[in-house]
PDB file of all heavy atoms in Angstrom:
ATOM      1  N   ASP A 377      19.264  98.680  83.660  1.00 46.00           N
ATOM      2  CA  ASP A 377      20.435  99.524  83.909  1.00 46.00           C
ATOM      3  C   ASP A 377      21.091  99.146  85.219  1.00 46.00           C
ATOM      4  O   ASP A 377      20.523  98.442  86.057  1.00 46.00           O
ATOM      5  CB  ASP A 377      20.018 101.004  83.948  1.00 46.00           C
ATOM      6  CG  ASP A 377      19.463 101.449  82.616  1.00 46.00           C
ATOM      7  OD1 ASP A 377      19.860 100.848  81.589  1.00 46.00           O
ATOM      8  OD2 ASP A 377      18.633 102.376  82.602  1.00 46.00           O
ATOM      9  N   GLU A 378      22.287  99.633  85.419  1.00 48.00           N
ATOM     10  CA  GLU A 378      23.013  99.332  86.651  1.00 48.00           C
ATOM     11  C   GLU A 378      22.320  99.960  87.851  1.00 48.00           C
ATOM     12  O   GLU A 378      21.792 101.060  87.793  1.00 48.00           O
ATOM     13  CB  GLU A 378      24.440  99.869  86.550  1.00 48.00           C
ATOM     14  CG  GLU A 378      25.274  99.128  85.508  1.00 48.00           C
ATOM     15  CD  GLU A 378      26.707  99.610  85.508  1.00 48.00           C
ATOM     16  OE1 GLU A 378      26.980 100.585  86.232  1.00 48.00           O
ATOM     17  OE2 GLU A 378      27.538  99.019  84.793  1.00 48.00           O
ATOM     18  N   GLY A 379      22.333  99.210  88.945  1.00 49.00           N
ATOM     19  CA  GLY A 379      21.729  99.687  90.171  1.00 49.00           C
ATOM     20  C   GLY A 379      22.760 100.369  91.052  1.00 49.00           C
ATOM     21  O   GLY A 379      23.889 100.644  90.641  1.00 49.00           O
ATOM     22  N   PRO A 380      22.409 100.646  92.316  1.00 51.00           N
ATOM     23  CA  PRO A 380      23.337 101.290  93.244  1.00 51.00           C
ATOM     24  C   PRO A 380      24.595 100.452  93.423  1.00 51.00           C
ATOM     25  O   PRO A 380      24.553  99.225  93.486  1.00 51.00           O
ATOM     26  CB  PRO A 380      22.529 101.365  94.553  1.00 51.00           C
ATOM     27  CG  PRO A 380      21.096 101.271  94.117  1.00 51.00           C
ATOM     28  CD  PRO A 380      21.087 100.401  92.912  1.00 51.00           C
ATOM     29  N   GLY A 381      25.724 101.139  93.470  1.00 52.00           N
ATOM     30  CA  GLY A 381      26.995 100.454  93.665  1.00 52.00           C
ATOM     31  C   GLY A 381      27.513  99.780  92.415  1.00 52.00           C
ATOM     32  O   GLY A 381      28.450  98.978  92.481  1.00 52.00           O
ATOM     33  N   GLY A 382      26.916 100.091  91.266  1.00 50.00           N
ATOM     34  CA  GLY A 382      27.396  99.519  90.020  1.00 50.00           C
ATOM     35  C   GLY A 382      26.890  98.116  89.742  1.00 50.00           C
ATOM     36  O   GLY A 382      27.281  97.520  88.740  1.00 50.00           O
ATOM     37  N   ALA A 383      26.051  97.570  90.630  1.00 47.00           N
ATOM     38  CA  ALA A 383      25.548  96.213  90.403  1.00 47.00           C
ATOM     39  C   ALA A 383      24.459  96.235  89.335  1.00 47.00           C
ATOM     40  O   ALA A 383      23.604  97.114  89.329  1.00 47.00           O
ATOM     41  CB  ALA A 383      24.994  95.635  91.696  1.00 47.00           C
ATOM     42  N   ARG A 384      24.509  95.277  88.424  1.00 44.00           N
ATOM     43  CA  ARG A 384      23.456  95.150  87.418  1.00 44.00           C
ATOM     44  C   ARG A 384      22.254  94.424  88.006  1.00 44.00           C
ATOM     45  O   ARG A 384      22.404  93.538  88.823  1.00 44.00           O
ATOM     46  CB  ARG A 384      23.972  94.390  86.192  1.00 44.00           C
ATOM     47  CG  ARG A 384      24.988  95.176  85.383  1.00 44.00           C
ATOM     48  CD  ARG A 384      25.372  94.403  84.135  1.00 44.00           C
ATOM     49  NE  ARG A 384      25.937  93.109  84.478  1.00 44.00           N
ATOM     50  CZ  ARG A 384      26.008  92.103  83.641  1.00 44.00           C
ATOM     51  NH1 ARG A 384      25.502  92.227  82.430  1.00 44.00           N
ATOM     52  NH2 ARG A 384      26.552  90.949  83.999  1.00 44.00           N
ATOM     53  N   ARG A 385      21.078  94.830  87.569  1.00 43.00           N
ATOM     54  CA  ARG A 385      19.865  94.187  88.060  1.00 43.00           C
ATOM     55  C   ARG A 385      19.188  93.436  86.916  1.00 43.00           C
ATOM     56  O   ARG A 385      19.113  93.919  85.792  1.00 43.00           O
ATOM     57  CB  ARG A 385      18.898  95.226  88.633  1.00 43.00           C
ATOM     58  CG  ARG A 385      19.447  95.950  89.851  1.00 43.00           C
ATOM     59  CD  ARG A 385      18.406  96.866  90.439  1.00 43.00           C
ATOM     60  NE  ARG A 385      17.950  97.848  89.468  1.00 43.00           N
ATOM     61  CZ  ARG A 385      16.932  98.679  89.674  1.00 43.00           C
ATOM     62  NH1 ARG A 385      16.263  98.618  90.806  1.00 43.00           N
ATOM     63  NH2 ARG A 385      16.577  99.546  88.762  1.00 43.00           N
ATOM     64  N   LEU A 386      18.712  92.278  87.217  1.00 40.00           N
ATOM     65  CA  LEU A 386      18.007  91.461  86.239  1.00 40.00           C
ATOM     66  C   LEU A 386      16.531  91.462  86.589  1.00 40.00           C
ATOM     67  O   LEU A 386      16.137  91.040  87.674  1.00 40.00           O
ATOM     68  CB  LEU A 386      18.545  90.024  86.270  1.00 40.00           C
ATOM     69  CG  LEU A 386      18.097  89.129  85.112  1.00 40.00           C
ATOM     70  CD1 LEU A 386      18.692  89.644  83.812  1.00 40.00           C
ATOM     71  CD2 LEU A 386      18.554  87.703  85.368  1.00 40.00           C
TER      72      LEU A 386
END
Side-chain angles (χ1 to χ4, degrees):
D377 297 333
E378 293 184 354
R384 290 184 301 160
R385 296 185 302 172
L386 192 66

